[in-house]
Amino acid sequence: MKSKKAILLPRFQKMLEQMGENIKLARKRRKFSTIQVSERAGINRTTLYQIEKGNPSVALGSYFNVLRVLNLEEDFLKLAADDEFGRKLQDLELMGKSKK
């Protein structure tokens, strides 16, 4: 069974590419080789290469394991942590209910 290719709008693809570049820079700052990171993350080097390119079809767990190896797993918790839009929607709903 062939897996579907993840398709993203160019703007969102750029975001993933930037994240991949950030991961690559973090690896290089720590002077870790691709072999070291891929072995410690339990992935192959090709997958690490795809992560560093921002490939959207790589499993989220693989991204997490690479962040863990780089001691950046806490950054994972920052994803969607500041839901400003959701809070505004909730506030609007609460304001509407209080006027009744």
Side-chain angles (χ1 to χ4, degrees):
M1 182 165 92
K2 191 173 182 179
S3 62
K4 290 185 180 181
K5 181 177 177 175
I7 299 173
L8 293 176
L9 294 173
R11 180 181 113 179
F12 302 124
Q13 179 61 46
K14 289 280 186 203
M15 293 171 83
L16 266 182
E17 289 169 5
Q18 181 62 58
M19 184 172 71
E21 183 68 22
N22 292 347
I23 289 170
K24 184 176 184 176
L25 288 171
R27 175 181 61 79
K28 288 184 171 200
R29 284 186 202 109
R30 287 158 178 75
K31 299 187 185 328
F32 287 166
S33 70
T34 56
I35 294 171
Q36 289 172 310
V37 173
S38 60
E39 285 179 354
R40 292 174 188 177
I43 60 175
N44 62 44
R45 283 178 55 199
T46 303
T47 302
L48 178 59
Y49 175 78
Q50 293 301 318
I51 288 170
E52 291 183 351
K53 290 292 181 189
N55 186 329
S57 64
V58 174
L60 190 59
S62 295
Y63 275 91
F64 177 80
N65 281 335
V66 169
L67 290 172
R68 179 186 49 78
V69 168
L70 299 173
N71 200 29
L72 294 170
E73 65 273 7
E74 294 297 320
D75 286 3
F76 206 76
L77 294 174
K78 294 176 184 175
L79 296 173
D82 187 23
D83 186 12
E84 186 177 334
F85 181 70
R87 283 195 312 273
K88 285 181 181 179
L89 289 173
Q90 188 177 36
D91 290 349
L92 285 172
E93 182 182 331
L94 292 172
M95 288 174 58
K97 287 183 178 179
S98 65
K99 292 181 181 181
K100 289 182 179 178

